Amino acid sequence: MKKILKAHFRIAFYSIAFSLSGFGQVTGDFQTKSTTGNWSNFNSWNRYNGGAWVAATAGQIPGATSSVFVQAGHVISVDNAMAICNDLNLTNTGGGKLSFSSPTSVLNVKGNMIISGTANCFGTLATGARLVFSGTGNQSLPANLGSNSVLDHV
């Protein structure tokens, strides 16, 4: 009986450990480094190196395979027409927001948009700026975008 319980415990433990491994950052992901910054500036980002978050270096900004984590209290401003990422994770419980600073600002999200919290996740929204979802599979938007969030042409 003890052997059966131990076997069940091991299976449960490894199942949980395996399932949790997919819910974190991976090498090449980015997180905001300071309370404000521009998407195109490497100084706005930390990059995950497989073991820790380290400051991004020149030329290192999110790309099509990078997941992005906007931390609580941080505002990242999409300041160009070529910003891109895989998953976009916003922790807006403490004011984490995504801003679009010019009419030509475009963020292309290849994966999903995930919001932790219930506050509005958008800061400045310049008229003409766009948030584009261009993944090849089903993409998901959170139900808690915020009371002032509007999605045009969806």
Side-chain angles (χ1 to χ4, degrees):
M1 182 68 165
K2 284 184 180 181
K3 287 183 180 183
I4 293 172
L5 286 176
K6 284 182 182 180
H8 284 289
F9 175 76
R10 276 191 220 137
I11 291 170
F13 174 78
Y14 289 117
S15 296
I16 291 169
F18 179 75
S19 68
L20 290 177
S21 68
F23 288 95
Q25 60 280 340
V26 297
T27 302
D29 285 351
F30 287 81
Q31 74 172 183
T32 51
K33 182 164 55 173
S34 44
T35 55
T36 60
N38 288 328
W39 189 283
S40 65
N41 185 343
F42 73 92
N43 288 309
S44 300
W45 300 105
N46 286 321
R47 186 172 182 276
Y48 193 70
N49 68 5
W53 290 104
V54 296
T57 59
Q60 291 182 326
I61 60 172
T65 60
S66 307
S67 288
V68 168
F69 298 86
V70 178
Q71 298 188 82
H74 292 193
V75 178
I76 191 74
S77 183
V78 178
D79 60 334
N80 65 48
M82 297 181 292
I84 191 167
C85 68
N86 185 32
D87 289 334
L88 176 62
N89 302 273
L90 289 152
T91 304
N92 66 344
T93 303
K97 293 186 184 277
L98 184 66
S99 289
F100 293 83
S101 57
S102 83
T104 59
S105 296
V106 177
L107 174 57
N108 186 343
V109 178
K110 297 285 195 185
N112 297 315
M113 182 175 179
I114 300 115
I115 298 177
S116 300
T118 58
N120 192 339
C121 63
F122 296 111
T124 303
L125 289 171
T127 302
R130 294 181 294 152
L131 177 60
V132 177
F133 292 88
S134 63
T136 56
N138 290 334
Q139 291 179 272
S140 67
L141 293 172
N144 59 342
L145 282 173
S147 60
N148 294 321
S149 301
V150 176
L151 297 174
D152 277 337
H153 309 290
V154 176

